[in-house]
Amino acid sequence: MINVLDKLFFLTTQTTSYLFHVTEEGHLEHLYYGKRLSHLLSTDIDALKDKHHINIGTEPCYNEDNPAYFLENISLETSTEGRGDYRIPMVVAEYGQGLSTLDFVYKSHTLTKGKPIFHDGNAQAYGTPEDSSTLAITLTDKKLPITLTLYYTTFDTCDVILRKAVLSNDMEGKLLIRNLSSLQLDLFDDNWDLITFDGAWSRERIMDREPLRSGTHVNESRTGLASSDHNPLVYLARPDATESHGLVIASNLIYSGNHKESIEVSPFGKTRLLTGINDSLFAWTLNQGESFGTPEAVLTCSEDGCNGASDHFHLFVNAHIIRGEWRYRERPILVNSWEASYFDINEDKLYELAKQGHDLGCELFVIDDGWFSGRDDDTSSLGDWYPSPSKFPSGLATFSRKVHDLDMMFGIWIEPETVNKKSILYGKHPDWMIAIPGREPVVCRHEHLLDLTKKEVCDYLFKSISEILDTCSVDYVKWDMNTVFADLYSFSVSDMREYPHRYVMALYGLLERFIQAFPHILWEGCASGGNRFDLGMLCYFSQIWVSDNTDAFSRTAIQGGTSYGYPPSTMGCHVSNSPNPQTLRISPIDSRFNVACFGDLGYELDLTELGKEEKTTIAEQISFFKLFRPIFQFGTFHRYNHDSIIQWTSISNDKRTMATLWMQPLNPSNAKSDRLFIEDAEEDAVYDVFPRSQRIPLSLFGHLLKTVKPLATAGETVQKVVSENLTLPSEVEHYTVSGSVLKHAGIKLNQQFSGTGRDSQTRVFSDFGSRLYLIKKH
Ligand code: DGJ
């Protein structure tokens, strides 16, 4: 809801209020963002304004008749260079002889129902006149015909505010945009911790928290992708804010390219947050009559800690970012060929894997890399989108029919944006590859980017890939991208500083064509794992592969970090081999499942090679997951790590059922007693609490087995067969407990195994051991 009273703008979401007004000099002063203000007196505005009545020291005054008006010490909704605000500016645009002084003041505003659709190529959120409202404020430069329009959209059922800026040039000369952020938020004080989500390939979006200090902190990507290095998601949290308590403000960007978040603490202790396209790799020329629209930014605020803010993002992403037939639809359990056989695939082998997946309960079979002509390793054939006749002698279409006959969905992997030099496509069109004439290009995984800004490139990709999607009745596509931007050059662009953004816009254009043409397909994004996990991609892909690292313990940090901005329904999470191919860590198959089930579950290992007990375990996991899938994918997801225990809870939308992950990374030996708290329990309710039953492989006990009767005297062969094939049921533990005990006192759990005995109640945990506790309301 948005109200305008005179020149006061009052934005309200379900639990937050956002206020700003027009100052006596025409600037937009930010007044408040925080817990919803239930009612406002007209006299409150005076209390909310920052007070400046005397000029201090050498502060440059904006107007001699108003000597205390000093832009640097006002919380502003937008900022420029050259008028006395020395913080990082939201807008930098050059005209004439390199001048960049601009001064935007209020001109007019409009208030409309709904969320406008912008035709500037950006990925964008959507809303209807019934569920959203938009305020557009037009500001003009005091001297030149240059206009800045700020858009603010609120949604009736989501606690976020969407922001966007559009800069228009009506001068005769050119205007060169050097920076245009999507969002500026100036906060009154600097008592914040900055939380960012950083990493690299195979350790994406690991949460990082540091107190803010004077000066500027930059969170950015320069690789051309939103990147695994630094996600555009950032949080500002009060130092005492935890997962469940305290004030946090967070922003994210609907953009898949180079981004930059600058967080500056000014000399006057105010905090400025800017987010948008990364200015250091960007410039854009506006001729007279032209405009440039930024990507949209999403802002949220919660007094219920980080879980409160991530709840807001999760609701928003599912309601206003994910679109099409897969919106709110449960995602199929898949089996993927990559870590099962990598490039070593053929139709017989794949069929065995699909059949085994089907028998265990999987619903979708995905052929990952290696299915197209000439692709026997990663050095060749990207760009040649024709099925390999040697791997599929009966044809890929026939194979897909066989998978469909198993009553499974059929999916393939593609990587359309890149080309190998060793390919038919490159032979025919070397000029379609991005490279600077005369300079040997940097190469990443033997591949190069295709110039998507060329129409003929997109037409070729659309046509050749559509043919496969049609003839093979493809139900699912994994869209991968395994390179980064380097040696950017295109004959079709005159200023290469425009190119990274033009590429992203061309990519969005191509994706739009595909999703329009194949609306039933479930699209999963991927970029060497999670190198492009962002809200821009989620406008086209209903889910994204979180990381190539499928190790259960690593995934607690990776999925945990990702969950601060993105709901579990968007996260591709697979059970894979042990030792894990990325970390060589050995972890129980149930822990791999217990972590992967908080998202879009899949299996990525050779199911045909598994022993009987492991197959039974997987079949049980899948049956369990099918019962609880709506909760894991679309329930409320909360993080509650404490001491060294990793704890996540998913809560059903009717709040009657919860599932909690409890993972102990290392077995401390002779462990102290454990307690299980469920902070989301309702005080007055009564719950049944019990662990999902798991299988403890006897092999876990190693040589101890030789000390247990009757095995002790059974001989080595029998001991070996028993140890490799038999399992024990996990502990029996069941409580009927009040919500207030569950929330405040915690359940004192059964003892852990410590090497000196076990009974049916003993909780047996190896390193990286875990349980899923089910909590059901009476
Ligand atoms: C990188 C992806 O992240 C992997 O999951 C797999 O699809 C490979 N590419 C295939 O080349």
Side-chain angles (χ1 to χ4, degrees):
M1 193 176 41
I2 302 177
N3 290 303
V4 183
L5 297 167
D6 196 7
K7 284 185 182 161
L8 170 73
F9 302 93
F10 189 1
L11 283 58
T12 313
T13 70
Q14 281 182 332
T15 64
T16 71
S17 296
Y18 186 106
L19 270 86
F20 59 97
H21 79 134
V22 182
T23 68
E24 66 273 25
E25 300 289 350
H27 301 110
L28 299 182
E29 181 187 6
H30 178 83
L31 298 173
Y32 174 77
Y33 186 32
K35 194 174 170 68
R36 183 169 171 160
L37 305 173
S38 50
H39 71 287
L40 209 60
L41 304 174
S42 56
T43 50
D44 282 340
I45 301 311
D46 194 34
L48 288 166
K49 280 190 220 164
D50 206 348
K51 306 297 178 308
H52 303 280
H53 24 86
I54 42 168
N55 179 269
I56 299 197
T58 54
E59 285 172 358
C61 71
Y62 178 79
N63 171 357
E64 270 206 295
D65 297 333
N66 190 2
Y69 195 90
F70 170 37
L71 280 176
E72 168 110 322
N73 197 14
I74 303 179
S75 298
L76 296 164
E77 289 291 304
T78 181
S79 55
T80 54
E81 278 185 330
R83 304 286 291 162
D85 182 354
Y86 297 99
R87 292 169 287 183
I88 302 181
M90 172 178 164
V91 185
V92 182
E94 292 171 3
Y95 54 91
Q97 300 153 278
L99 284 165
S100 60
T101 294
L102 289 167
D103 189 358
F104 290 112
V105 289
Y106 173 84
K107 183 175 173 225
S108 61
H109 71 267
T110 57
L111 195 51
T112 47
K113 286 264 157 230
K115 144 91 185 50
I117 297 171
F118 295 95
H119 300 283
D120 53 14
N122 280 295
Q124 52 197 299
Y126 59 92
T128 64
E130 288 72 44
D131 66 15
S132 48
S133 322
T134 300
L135 168 68
I137 302 203
T138 304
L139 308 158
T140 46
D141 180 59
K142 270 185 140 172
K143 193 162 158 22
L144 299 167
I146 300 171
T147 310
L148 176 67
T149 308
L150 304 180
Y151 291 89
Y152 299 77
T153 300
T154 59
F155 300 89
D156 294 350
T157 53
C158 289
D159 266 314
V160 304
I161 296 172
L162 198 67
R163 297 273 305 264
K164 179 184 177 90
V166 176
L167 191 66
S168 309
N169 176 25
D170 284 316
M171 290 186 308
E172 265 179 28
K174 289 182 190 306
L175 184 68
L176 179 71
I177 305 177
R178 301 303 310 276
N179 182 47
L180 184 59
S181 303
S182 303
L183 155 87
Q184 171 173 319
L185 179 68
D186 279 1
L187 299 166
F188 185 72
D189 66 73
D190 58 358
N191 188 26
W192 300 99
D193 284 356
L194 172 64
I195 303 178
T196 54
F197 301 88
D198 312 310
W201 172 76
S202 110
R203 51 182 162 82
E204 298 92 338
R205 291 171 299 287
I206 309 294
M207 198 260 253
D208 202 358
R209 180 170 182 162
E210 291 292 336
L212 275 186
R213 341 190 256 118
S214 195
T216 305
H217 182 99
V218 171
N219 178 71
E220 65 176 344
S221 161
R222 303 160 67 88
T223 62
L225 289 80
S227 95
S228 41
D229 312 359
H230 306 285
N231 197 262
L233 174 70
V234 296
Y235 273 56
L236 291 169
R238 287 297 190 210
D240 60 354
T242 63
E243 290 290 13
S244 48
H245 301 287
L247 180 64
V248 300
I249 289 176
S251 77
N252 204 349
L253 193 64
I254 307 180
Y255 194 56
S256 311
N258 295 319
H259 63 88
K260 181 165 169 180
E261 291 66 48
S262 307
I263 301 92
E264 178 173 1
V265 173
S266 78
F268 299 93
K270 289 195 163 62
T271 301
R272 171 166 294 175
L273 165 67
L274 294 173
T275 177
I277 296 173
N278 195 332
D279 60 333
S280 57
L281 297 151
F282 170 81
W284 197 274
T285 301
L286 290 182
N287 295 308
Q288 187 174 22
E290 289 180 344
S291 300
F292 182 86
T294 66
E296 292 168 352
V298 192
L299 191 62
T300 196
C301 170
S302 173
E303 289 221 323
D304 296 326
C306 298
N307 281 328
S310 59
D311 285 352
H312 297 170
F313 281 139
H314 292 184
L315 281 174
F316 169 72
V317 172
N318 280 321
H320 298 286
I321 292 286
I322 305 293
R323 55 203 79 202
E325 293 183 19
W326 285 93
R327 181 178 181 236
Y328 291 122
R329 192 160 146 203
E330 289 175 35
R331 313 290 199 257
I333 302 164
L334 65 82
V335 49
N336 177 301
S337 65
W338 182 242
E339 288 189 10
S341 349
Y342 298 97
F343 292 103
D344 184 17
I345 53 174
N346 60 55
E347 60 183 33
D348 294 339
K349 202 167 169 177
L350 290 173
Y351 186 73
E352 285 312 306
L353 183 62
K355 171 93 181 48
Q356 184 62 77
H358 164 265
D359 292 349
L360 297 179
C362 295
E363 300 154 325
L364 159 66
F365 180 68
V366 182
I367 310 182
D368 208 282
D369 202 347
W371 59 266
F372 45 103
S373 202
R375 182 75 168 172
D376 295 326
D377 56 35
D378 63 7
T379 62
S380 86
S381 305
L382 284 173
D384 302 341
W385 299 110
Y386 322 102
S388 157
S390 58
K391 289 177 186 167
F392 297 92
S394 333
L396 190 63
T398 308
F399 181 79
S400 76
R401 268 194 297 279
K402 284 177 75 181
V403 173
H404 283 133
D405 286 347
L406 286 172
D407 205 18
M408 287 179 101
M409 294 164 67
F410 174 69
I412 55 166
W413 173 99
I414 53 174
E415 191 181 342
E417 298 162 70
T418 55
V419 65
N420 290 118
K421 276 192 169 175
K422 231 160 88 189
S423 65
I424 299 168
L425 184 72
Y426 180 76
K428 278 194 193 157
H429 301 286
D431 57 318
W432 285 10
M433 183 186 109
I434 293 180
I436 300 172
R439 194 184 276 272
E440 196 50 40
V442 166
V443 62
C444 180
R445 210 196 185 208
H446 315 286
E447 60 189 58
H448 301 268
L449 276 180
L450 285 171
D451 186 355
L452 295 194
T453 64
K454 283 190 161 93
K455 185 175 174 306
E456 58 273 32
V457 174
C458 288
D459 287 348
Y460 162 77
L461 292 170
F462 184 72
K463 187 165 174 295
S464 56
I465 292 168
S466 294
E467 218 166 284
I468 311 234
L469 302 183
D470 272 330
T471 52
C472 299
S473 307
V474 171
D475 308 295
Y476 159 104
V477 173
K478 178 177 175 188
W479 181 299
D480 202 349
M481 203 293 212
N482 292 299
T483 193
V484 285
F485 287 22
D487 298 296
L488 291 190
Y489 186 82
S490 172
F491 286 103
S492 52
V493 178
S494 53
D495 182 345
M496 287 314 301
R497 294 171 297 179
E498 293 186 359
Y499 192 78
H501 182 65
R502 286 194 184 277
Y503 179 93
V504 176
M505 296 302 102
L507 170 63
Y508 289 157
L510 179 59
L511 291 173
E512 188 65 36
R513 274 171 89 176
F514 274 113
I515 63 166
Q516 292 297 338
F518 301 95
H520 69 284
I521 286 184
L522 171 61
W523 299 87
E524 174 155 353
C526 174
S528 309
N531 201 14
R532 203 163 53 183
F533 203 119
D534 62 72
L535 295 177
M537 282 294 123
L538 287 174
C539 291
Y540 306 95
F541 302 146
S542 311
Q543 58 189 63
I544 299 179
W545 181 224
V546 179
S547 175
D548 280 350
N549 184 346
T550 42
D551 171 69
F553 177 61
S554 304
R555 277 290 185 124
T556 60
I558 299 170
Q559 290 172 219
T562 307
S563 75
Y564 283 80
Y566 308 92
S569 57
T570 62
M571 295 189 211
C573 306
H574 298 177
V575 172
S576 72
N577 288 302
S578 178
N580 179 269
Q582 287 76 34
T583 60
L584 305 182
R585 191 174 283 134
I586 294 174
S587 38
I589 192 158
D590 272 317
S591 287
R592 285 176 264 155
F593 168 77
N594 290 346
V595 173
C597 70
F598 285 83
D600 305 328
L601 178 68
Y603 287 81
E604 193 164 333
L605 70 171
D606 191 349
L607 297 171
T608 64
E609 273 185 348
L610 301 180
K612 196 163 154 275
E613 284 291 326
E614 273 187 315
K615 285 184 188 165
T616 312
T617 298
I618 291 181
E620 286 170 357
Q621 293 174 345
I622 291 177
S623 314
F624 168 85
F625 184 74
K626 285 179 180 169
L627 291 176
F628 291 89
R629 172 162 42 189
I631 304 176
F632 286 123
Q633 294 183 346
F634 294 102
T636 303
F637 174 90
H638 285 164
R639 301 159 301 269
Y640 289 114
N641 303 346
H642 51 89
D643 300 330
S644 59
I645 302 301
I646 295 147
Q647 198 182 328
W648 296 344
T649 301
S650 283
I651 307 147
S652 65
N653 292 330
D654 65 4
K655 299 195 172 13
R656 299 201 63 82
T657 310
M658 296 185 254
T660 285
L661 167 75
W662 195 95
M663 180 188 260
Q664 171 181 270
L666 294 183
N667 184 332
S669 181
N670 192 8
K672 59 183 168 45
S673 306
D674 294 316
R675 268 187 303 181
L676 176 69
F677 288 93
I678 301 293
E679 297 200 29
D680 290 294
E682 290 169 21
E683 305 241 358
D684 300 329
V686 177
Y687 295 93
D688 273 323
V689 180
F690 52 94
R692 177 180 82 87
S693 165
Q694 297 184 183
R695 288 165 180 270
I696 317 285
L698 281 186
S699 56
L700 194 67
F701 296 92
H703 286 266
L704 277 182
L705 279 187
K706 296 187 178 173
T707 66
V708 181
K709 278 184 200 153
L711 272 185
T713 51
E716 277 210 4
T717 317
V718 176
Q719 282 167 358
K720 191 163 180 289
V721 171
V722 167
S723 144
E724 281 173 5
N725 293 295
L726 293 190
T727 57
L728 292 171
S730 55
E731 72 279 4
V732 178
E733 202 168 8
H734 188 148
Y735 304 90
T736 299
V737 62
S738 67
S740 51
V741 163
L742 202 49
K743 192 178 173 91
H744 302 298
I747 296 175
K748 294 178 182 124
L749 294 168
N750 286 356
Q751 271 179 288
Q752 282 199 37
F753 175 80
S754 293
T756 50
R758 176 200 163 269
D759 61 16
S760 62
Q761 298 184 334
T762 313
R763 295 164 64 236
V764 178
F765 281 79
S766 58
D767 286 351
F768 313 107
S770 68
R771 291 291 181 276
L772 276 180
Y773 288 96
L774 296 174
I775 298 121
K776 295 192 172 179
K777 196 162 149 184
H778 278 197

